[in-house]
Amino acid sequence: MDITIHQSFLPHTDPDASLAFYRDSLGFEVRADVGYGDMRWITVGPTDQPSTSIVLEPPAADPGVTDDERRTIAEMMAKGTYAGVNLGTPDLDATFAKLRESGAEIVQEPVDQPYGIRDCAFRDPAGNMIRIQELR
């Protein structure tokens, strides 16, 4: 069996702000930008990994989600507890410096974790937790 992680989904509240974060701050390329009504899905990913993407999607776009569930999702996003992704880089300090210069919301500066990794954390414009681990 040969299975890879192809796409992961993160919600956005402002597609242009999320696009600027993932494209301009993280350096991801835009692979698709699709609108449907007043909603927008943006697919981004690392330039050297064309088979791995993040789809930035409207939160709770599924018609099966109730209004109460949409409110709960919006509240969790506002707190930064709804969604996130872990990224990796060979140069954590340079990546952290670039993101700090971009004005991204810092959650944690680079630190050696007691469980053996070195990482930092940011929130994207929608509140999603973006943890970045140093690849060794």
Side-chain angles (χ1 to χ4, degrees):
M1 187 178 304
D2 185 15
I3 297 176
T4 62
I5 296 175
H6 179 62
Q7 293 181 327
S8 181
F9 289 77
L10 290 175
H12 68 68
T13 53
D14 178 339
D16 291 325
S18 290
L19 176 60
F21 176 81
Y22 286 92
R23 182 192 57 207
D24 304 335
S25 298
L26 285 176
F28 285 1
E29 66 181 7
V30 178
R31 298 186 179 145
D33 192 338
V34 178
Y36 180 77
D38 61 349
M39 296 184 284
R40 191 167 160 201
W41 286 259
I42 304 167
T43 303
V44 296
T47 57
D48 61 344
Q49 297 174 43
S51 63
T52 303
S53 300
I54 296 173
V55 180
L56 306 169
E57 64 175 349
D62 184 331
V65 176
T66 67
D67 289 341
D68 284 344
E69 290 167 335
R70 282 189 181 86
R71 275 190 293 279
T72 298
I73 290 169
E75 290 169 2
M76 292 178 72
M77 287 177 67
K79 292 179 179 178
T81 59
Y82 183 68
V85 66
N86 286 4
L87 305 175
T89 181
D91 190 342
L92 185 64
D93 292 319
T95 302
F96 179 82
K98 182 179 178 186
L99 285 167
R100 179 171 42 201
E101 286 177 21
S102 76
E105 180 184 348
I106 299 169
V107 176
Q108 173 202 299
E109 296 200 10
V111 64
D112 292 317
Q113 299 288 358
Y115 40 88
I117 66 166
R118 185 165 187 267
D119 68 354
C120 65
F122 292 86
R123 288 198 205 291
D124 78 3
N128 299 307
M129 180 68 73
I130 310 298
R131 298 198 71 85
I132 303 173
Q133 180 177 342
E134 187 167 71
L135 301 175
R136 298 180 181 170

